[in-house]
Amino acid sequence: VEPVDQRTRDSLQKSVQLAIEITTKSQEATARHEAERLEQDAKGRLERQKIIDEAKAEKARRDYLELLAKSSIVETTGQATAEAQARAEAAAIEGESAIKQAQLRAQATRIETEVEITTLSSRQQCEVEHQSAINQLELDKAKQLSEIEAKKFKDVVQSIGRNTIAEIARAGPETQAKLLKGLGLKSFMITDGHSPINLFQTAQGLIAPPPAPVESS
């Protein structure tokens, strides 16, 4: 039913407009409040997510640092182990080398000693053989000279005869020397290399042989 009166109609229209305005403002306030609530809720969720993300990032950083520390420890331990092993191997090699060098020096000394002993023995053997050869040459020479003198004496005795030798033996020293010189004899002695024989003693023996020994009955 529409009011007849214009004033009433205007009043009603104002009331309706006011109600609409109040309702609109109420809806706007409700919407604004809801928007603020939603905004606060979103901010809260964002802050919580940010805190969660930061916590996760901190945990990840701690895990990374822990892994880095473990890796460094492993690396340091591995390096120390490798260095210790290398030092041990170097010491073992050095010890083996020292033992080998000592063995080689001992072997060289033994070989040198054996060579010296062999050389000395060979030198002594050569000296003995050389001296033996010289002695043998001297003996051979003396034997040959003795044989020559003996043959010469025999030839002289045979050539001049026993009577001439007896005459020489009876003569004085000067006459003996002259006679021997004339016969080509330079010495009064002949030898076989062991026992010298005097020519004039031999002549005396030729003149007066020694008496034969008497056998006892």
Side-chain angles (χ1 to χ4, degrees):
V1 178
E2 294 184 1
V4 179
D5 188 271
Q6 184 64 34
R7 182 180 294 175
T8 302
R9 209 172 33 242
D10 292 338
S11 178
L12 288 174
Q13 188 177 0
K14 288 182 180 179
S15 297
V16 172
Q17 289 178 350
L18 180 60
I20 293 171
E21 184 177 353
I22 291 172
T23 301
T24 301
K25 289 182 178 180
S26 175
Q27 290 177 349
E28 289 179 351
T30 300
R32 190 168 50 252
H33 179 69
E34 183 66 18
E36 290 178 355
R37 186 185 67 78
L38 292 173
E39 184 180 2
Q40 291 296 327
D41 186 54
K43 286 182 178 180
R45 287 199 302 272
L46 182 61
E47 288 295 330
R48 285 195 300 274
Q49 188 64 40
K50 183 178 179 181
I51 292 171
I52 292 171
D53 292 342
E54 288 179 352
K56 288 181 179 180
E58 181 64 22
K59 184 177 182 301
R61 191 177 70 84
R62 287 198 306 269
D63 292 342
Y64 169 74
L65 292 175
E66 184 177 354
L67 289 175
L68 188 63
K70 289 181 179 180
S71 176
S72 178
I73 292 172
V74 170
E75 182 179 0
T76 303
T77 304
Q79 183 177 359
T81 303
E83 290 178 354
Q85 185 176 359
R87 286 193 297 270
E89 292 177 355
I93 293 173
E94 185 177 358
E96 292 177 358
S97 177
I99 293 173
K100 188 65 175 179
Q101 290 179 4
Q103 291 176 347
L104 291 175
R105 284 195 296 269
Q107 184 177 2
T109 302
R110 179 178 58 81
I111 293 173
E112 184 179 0
T113 303
E114 291 178 354
V115 169
E116 290 180 355
I117 293 174
T118 303
T119 303
L120 181 60
S121 178
S122 299
R123 186 185 300 117
Q124 291 176 346
Q125 182 66 26
C126 290
E127 290 177 355
V128 170
E129 293 177 355
H130 177 68
Q131 188 62 40
S132 177
I134 291 176
N135 293 338
Q136 187 62 43
L137 288 174
E138 292 292 336
L139 289 175
D140 293 341
K141 181 180 177 181
K143 183 178 180 181
Q144 292 176 0
L145 290 176
S146 175
E147 291 176 354
I148 291 171
E149 291 293 334
K151 185 177 183 302
K152 185 176 180 180
F153 177 73
K154 181 179 179 181
D155 293 341
V156 169
V157 170
Q158 289 178 352
S159 63
I160 64 178
R162 294 178 61 182
N163 295 329
T164 305
I165 294 174
E167 292 296 331
I168 293 173
R170 294 190 187 98
E174 293 181 1
T175 304
Q176 289 177 352
K178 291 178 181 180
L179 290 173
L180 288 173
K181 184 175 181 181
L183 293 173
L185 298 177
K186 296 181 180 179
S187 174
F188 294 101
M189 304 293 293
I190 59 172
T191 178
D192 60 356
H194 297 283
S195 57
I197 302 173
N198 189 287
L199 178 61
F200 297 111
Q201 289 179 350
T202 304
Q204 293 289 345
L206 292 174
I207 297 170
V214 179
E215 295 182 356
S216 61
S217 56

